[in-house]
Every structure is written in C-alpha cells, then in structure tokens.
Amino acid sequence: MSTLLITGGTVVSSTGRTEADVLVDGETIVAVLAPGSTLLGSDLAASVDRVVDATGKYVIPGGIDAHTHMELPFGGTHAIDTFESGTTAAAWGGTTSIIDFAVQRYGERVEDGLSAWHDKARGNCAIDYGFHQIIGGVDEQSLKAMTTLVDEGITSYKLFMAYPGVFYSDDAQILKAMQVAAESGLMTMMHAENGPAIDVLAEQLYNAGKTTPYFHGVARAWQMEEEATHRAIMLADLTNAPLYVVHVSAQQAVAQLAAARDRGQNVFGETCPQYLYLSLEEQLGAVSEQWGEFEGAKWVCSTPLRSRAEGHQDAMWQGLRTNDLQMVSTDHCPFCMKDQKELGKGDFRAIPNGIGSIEHRMDLLYQGVVTGQLTLERWVEITSTTPARMFGLYGKKGVIAPGADADIVVYDPNGHTSIGIGEGKTHHMAMDHSAWEGYEIDGHVDVVISRGSVLVSDGEFHGRAGHGQYLKRGLTQYLH
C-alpha cells in the first residue's frame, strides 16, 4: 500500500473551502490536516511515497457523471465510446466515477440486459462505474425483476415517455413501475417528453420538406417536455415514488419541478452542459462548408437544444443556483458524423441522438464559476457531492474526508484548457468531431487520482483499463 500527500492546496467542499493537506493511504483518504501540521510527525512529506504539490490550486472530490451511455445501441448504430475509451476520456477531464445505463428492451429480460452491461464494462473501465437499469418494456416479468435490483447495488431505474416502439412506457406502465419503486426504495429516473405527440410533429415536418437537423429541435417543442414533466410529477405524487427527471432543458419544465418541490414532493432534476451553453439557433441551425445544413447533426440530442431567444439557457443556470435543479450530468452518448450521424441525412428523425461531453463537464461547469454563474462550492456540489448523495455513493464518493475513497482532482484556476480536436487541445473521446470545438476554459485539470492511483499528471495519462471497480450503490441519500 502506497502513501500520498497532497500539500499546499485549498480543499473545496460543497459547504466551504479551507487550506489543508490531504493524506492518502492505499485507496483511502486517512487525514485532512491543517497546513504544516505535525500531528502525524514532524516531517510528514518525508515519510510518504509521493507528494503532490497543489500550491495555488483547488483540491476537490473527483467528479461523478451519473448519466452516461457507453456502447449504447441506438438508431441502427451504437455510441462510439467503449467503456475503455469513455472512462479514459472521463479521467482526463477530472471525472472519477460514472453511472451508466444497463438496457432492457421490450420483450427482453431485465436480468439479461444487466448481465450484458456487466460484460461490456468488466475489466475495461479506467475509473469506477455503476449502473442504472433502463426498463424499456414494463410487464409482469420486468416489474418482478425490479424488486431484485437493490440487491445488485442498482438503486435507480429509468423509464421513457419518448421513443414509441423503442423504449416508450405509457401512463399505466409508469404507474405500475412507480408503485414497485415506492415499495422497494428505487429512484425513478424519467426521460420526460411526450413521444407520441413528438412523432406526429416530426412526421408533419418531414412531409413538408423540413428535414434538416434544425427541425429536430422544432419537433421536440418545449411544450412536450413541460407536459411530460408535469405528468411524471403527478404520477410520482400519486404513488409516493421519488422522481428524478433527466436532462432537463426547458425553463417551463424547471418551473414544474420547482412547484412540486415547493409542495414538499421528492422530485429532482438534472441538466447537462449542452443545455447551459448551446442553442437551437446557433448549433442545430449551424451551416458549414463540409456538411452544409447537416452541420447541426453534431448537436442532435434529446431533449433538444432550446432557443436562446426564449431564455432557456439562462433558466438552467438559475435553476442550478436556486437548487431547483440539483446536479449536472452529461448524458454522454457520442456518435461520429461519418457513418453514424450521417444516417439521418435528408431525415432528421434518423439522426442518432447524442452528444459527447464526458471529458468536458468539470471544465465547462468551472467556467460557470469564472463567469459568476456558480460559486466554487456549488461547482463541487453539482458535479460530485450531490450525484454521490442522489445515487447512494456518498461517504465513499463525493467528499474529501477520512474514510472516503481517494478520488481527488487537483484543479488549477490559473491554468487554461482549449477544447477541440488538434494540437494543444483536449479531446480523448472516440468521436470524429468535438461538440465543444473552440471552447476556452479559464482553468485546468492538473492531477486526477482514483482510489489513490494517479491517473493523470503532468499532461500524461497513467491509468489503465481494469482499474475501475463496479460500484454497488446504496439507496438514495438525498430524500427530504
């Protein structure tokens, strides 16, 4: 077991910041000490195996991305990041744990879907990983299987109010699943969009010759998200099931969540970097020399990017400040333009839905600190501490404290990060483009430590596939 001491840094938690040294023994944090403390000896630095100098830098708990889709089959293809490439990119960006989604489709067994995802991930992850369970076919068999998930360390499951014929659940199915969840302690995660109505709008647009990526955003109108969010909240209220709405993008959906929370309901929401920064007009409507009007396909995801003119992006930042939204995940589901997004040329409905952001979440949110959108403490809270609490990992993850896993990031506020593909830029994901090309960050991930092992330092990757362990999660620690 090796020992490691991080000296000279400012330890930042969700509740404050303090100058402190952090001592790691093996995989665990064993002490957080006042600078220069002689409590554990007159020269602690001389007695450890490695010293990391964090002078002038922030020492924060490793990021937790609680919404990723590695190798997800979708729209006739599959997400291009493997568990190895995706978790390696995550580590580069200061994320030390992910929660991915095991998939059960209509007509399949939940147990088989879960087993398949364990097989994909086992031995291939550079960082620790857990699973949520997608229930794509709610029936007697899958409802029974849901009751066994908690024993597997899977304490959350996801339903879709979108994608009829693929993952869609109707209200009766949602009601039944939530009843099981309320009894077993499972957190219900919801993709809240009115799928059947969206499909009608999408078909009408296509038939009218409106086929470019821009119309993906038009078809998935904010009314479809607000309506489904409200419906999910009402069903959760009826069944007394806690509800977590994924990838919230419309300000009207945030208002629904806020109203439910004000009534005392256990309802939570996440948003994603793309809904904080990107827009319908600028990205989905983009035109390039290479791709023409199909350029916008790079940013096709669901829920879609919203109109900046309508103020949705500002509302997402505000929701994070007021805790009407509790955390930020990526919904990392990366596809290449070539041979993948291209499947939807001439028909936006056939563009695989997804953006790759796992490497950039910590940086993009830190830029919100720089611009005054968030406090430093709130940055740590929404990227690490709350994800840990929300999904039953807190204590081991999400905090720098004795007994916690030594998942630690040294972040340099005086550093600089250029996002994109090419010399001097950061892009380790498997896509052939960056959704964040040209973004400049006034900060830099300097050192990344996972369970005591240094994965990133001095601009080099020292990690390996197989270091990451499966996270058997407990029940949510976030209910009020």
Side-chain angles (χ1 to χ4, degrees):
M1 299 283 270
S2 65
T3 50
L4 181 149
L5 182 67
I6 303 170
T7 63
T10 300
V11 175
V12 183
S13 75
S14 61
T15 53
R17 63 191 89 169
T18 182
E19 307 295 314
D21 296 343
V22 181
L23 179 63
V24 174
D25 185 12
E27 298 193 345
T28 308
I29 296 167
V30 291
V32 179
L33 301 158
S37 168
T38 56
L39 191 66
L40 298 178
S42 57
D43 190 0
L44 187 56
S47 67
V48 297
D49 298 315
R50 180 169 182 171
V51 175
V52 173
D53 182 2
T55 302
K57 301 173 185 178
Y58 300 130
V59 179
I60 63 171
I64 300 170
D65 191 342
H67 188 158
T68 69
H69 295 287
M70 307 303 172
E71 303 179 37
L72 176 73
F74 191 95
T77 183
H78 58 85
I80 197 70
D81 266 323
T82 62
F83 275 93
E84 180 173 353
S85 68
T87 57
T88 299
W92 273 106
T95 287
T96 54
S97 300
I98 62 166
I99 312 179
D100 206 84
F101 286 85
V103 177
Q104 174 251 357
R105 286 178 206 76
Y106 182 75
E108 297 175 352
R109 293 174 72 245
V110 171
E111 298 87 344
D112 294 341
L114 178 55
S115 174
W117 253 257
H118 272 298
D119 290 344
K120 289 176 197 273
R122 191 182 296 110
N124 293 318
C125 293
I127 59 175
D128 291 352
Y129 65 96
F131 293 128
H132 311 286
Q133 178 68 53
I134 286 174
I135 306 290
V138 178
D139 54 27
E140 290 312 310
Q141 191 178 45
S142 59
L143 289 167
K144 189 177 177 195
M146 278 174 61
T147 64
T148 67
L149 289 174
V150 173
D151 295 337
E152 304 279 336
I154 295 168
T155 52
S156 43
Y157 74 105
K158 184 179 178 186
L159 297 174
F160 289 81
M161 301 167 95
Y163 307 128
V166 186
F167 289 131
Y168 173 74
S169 293
D170 65 25
D171 291 354
Q173 291 171 311
I174 292 168
L175 178 74
K176 289 177 184 175
M178 284 183 170
Q179 287 172 333
V180 172
E183 285 176 24
S184 58
L186 288 169
M187 175 71 79
T188 300
M189 305 174 77
M190 189 65 75
H191 179 132
E193 287 186 294
N194 188 323
I198 286 169
D199 282 2
V200 170
L201 293 172
E203 185 176 13
Q204 289 171 346
L205 286 163
Y206 175 78
N207 290 339
K210 296 175 176 178
T211 62
T212 63
Y214 179 84
F215 293 100
H216 169 83
V218 175
R220 308 187 89 90
W222 63 258
Q223 289 91 340
M224 301 291 91
E225 184 181 348
E226 182 186 14
E227 185 278 328
T229 301
H230 176 74
R231 193 157 30 103
I233 288 168
M234 290 295 101
L235 290 165
D237 191 40
L238 179 64
T239 55
N240 203 29
L243 173 68
Y244 176 95
V245 181
V246 297
H247 50 54
V248 176
S249 64
Q251 61 182 326
Q252 294 84 357
V254 178
Q256 292 288 341
L257 294 170
R261 290 174 59 77
D262 289 348
R263 294 192 300 268
Q265 200 174 335
N266 270 311
V267 171
F268 315 102
E270 75 171 17
T271 192
C272 307
Q274 53 267 35
Y275 308 122
L276 296 165
Y277 284 105
L278 310 180
S279 74
L280 172 73
E281 298 93 338
E282 295 152 302
Q283 275 73 37
L284 282 179
V287 179
S288 72
E289 203 174 311
Q290 181 183 4
W291 295 102
E293 286 187 302
F294 193 67
E295 174 75 7
K298 290 176 180 175
W299 299 281
V300 164
C301 59
S302 297
T303 51
L305 304 184
R306 299 287 176 199
S307 168
R308 194 175 299 281
E310 291 174 356
H312 298 284
Q313 294 76 8
D314 291 342
M316 295 307 119
W317 285 111
Q318 181 178 312
L320 289 172
R321 282 192 295 279
T322 58
N323 206 42
D324 290 323
L325 295 170
Q326 287 69 47
M327 52 188 266
V328 176
S329 308
T330 57
D331 191 12
H332 178 79
C333 194
F335 298 98
C336 290
M337 282 290 275
K338 192 97 187 85
D339 299 331
Q340 292 194 303
K341 294 275 190 180
E342 267 188 325
L343 294 168
K345 246 184 165 172
D347 184 355
F348 68 83
R349 298 173 298 175
I351 301 170
N353 283 226
I355 292 178
S357 304
I358 196 168
E359 186 175 345
H360 309 311
R361 182 183 66 118
M362 299 297 287
D363 281 327
L364 289 165
L365 270 293
Y366 181 75
Q367 194 61 29
V369 177
V370 174
T371 58
Q373 296 278 15
L374 301 170
T375 64
L376 198 55
E377 289 81 3
R378 185 66 174 157
W379 173 53
V380 169
E381 188 171 15
I382 63 180
T383 57
S384 181
T385 306
T386 297
R389 291 177 63 201
M390 190 71 72
F391 294 113
L393 292 169
Y394 187 73
K396 294 293 280 181
K397 307 291 186 188
V399 64
I400 292 179
D405 285 354
D407 293 359
I408 304 168
V409 173
V410 177
Y411 198 88
D412 184 2
N414 298 309
H416 188 83
T417 305
S418 296
I419 302 179
I421 296 175
E423 192 65 35
K425 295 187 172 188
T426 177
H427 179 90
H428 297 88
M429 300 167 288
M431 302 107 69
D432 60 3
H433 65 279
S434 172
W436 301 96
E437 189 70 50
Y439 271 71
E440 302 290 335
I441 306 298
D442 297 309
H444 188 266
V445 174
D446 274 12
V447 183
V448 180
I449 300 166
S450 165
R451 300 194 334 273
S453 293
V454 176
L455 302 188
V456 177
S457 66
D458 303 318
E460 292 186 11
F461 186 72
H462 306 285
R464 61 174 177 84
H467 164 76
Q469 295 179 351
Y470 173 65
L471 297 171
K472 201 169 178 182
R473 300 184 292 112
L475 296 178
T476 180
Q477 298 153 289
Y478 205 79
L479 302 188
H480 52 66

